[in-house]
Amino acid sequence: MNRFKIVEGQEAAFEKVWSDRDSHLDGVPGFKDFKLVRGPEHEDHTLYASHSVWESEEAFSAWTRSDAFRLAHRDAGDNRALYLGHPEFEGFTVVLGGD
């Protein structure tokens, strides 16, 4: 997951960036699912997380080194005004549940 603190009042613009972008995830080996989720609102920001599910940590790592990853993130700097700080990556491994 990547957590994003989005400037108050910029939520719709942030969601549009994500809905309009090409993630380049179709056909990436090991990719299973993606969701963008909205969290709590604070005085100066709203918390979001991009949540992707992968078959393995190795598949995720390979994607981060791929051309698909570079293409998906090439315009990321164009929207800096929407964010408070940098996204925060959090990686998790399933220990119970799942398929």
Side-chain angles (χ1 to χ4, degrees):
M1 286 191 273
N2 274 309
R3 291 165 39 110
F4 304 90
K5 292 179 180 177
I6 301 306
V7 174
E8 179 185 11
Q10 296 299 316
E11 296 86 357
F14 176 75
E15 291 174 20
K16 182 161 178 42
V17 166
W18 282 81
S19 67
D20 290 353
R21 74 189 280 249
D22 185 349
S23 69
H24 298 275
L25 287 170
D26 293 337
V28 172
F31 173 73
K32 295 175 83 174
D33 189 39
F34 172 83
K35 297 209 176 15
L36 180 67
V37 296
R38 184 177 181 159
E41 296 178 11
H42 300 274
E43 280 188 30
D44 61 347
H45 72 277
T46 299
L47 186 64
Y48 283 82
S50 62
H51 178 252
S52 59
V53 178
W54 296 84
E55 287 180 4
S56 67
E57 186 175 342
E58 293 77 21
F60 170 76
S61 294
W63 172 69
T64 65
R65 297 185 302 273
S66 72
D67 288 338
F69 180 89
R70 284 185 283 285
L71 285 170
H73 293 86
R74 70 174 173 232
D75 297 327
D78 294 351
N79 300 296
R80 284 191 185 113
L82 303 177
Y83 303 88
L84 288 181
H86 296 287
E88 295 179 31
F89 174 76
E90 297 174 321
F92 296 86
T93 301
V94 174
V95 293
L96 293 173
D99 46 0

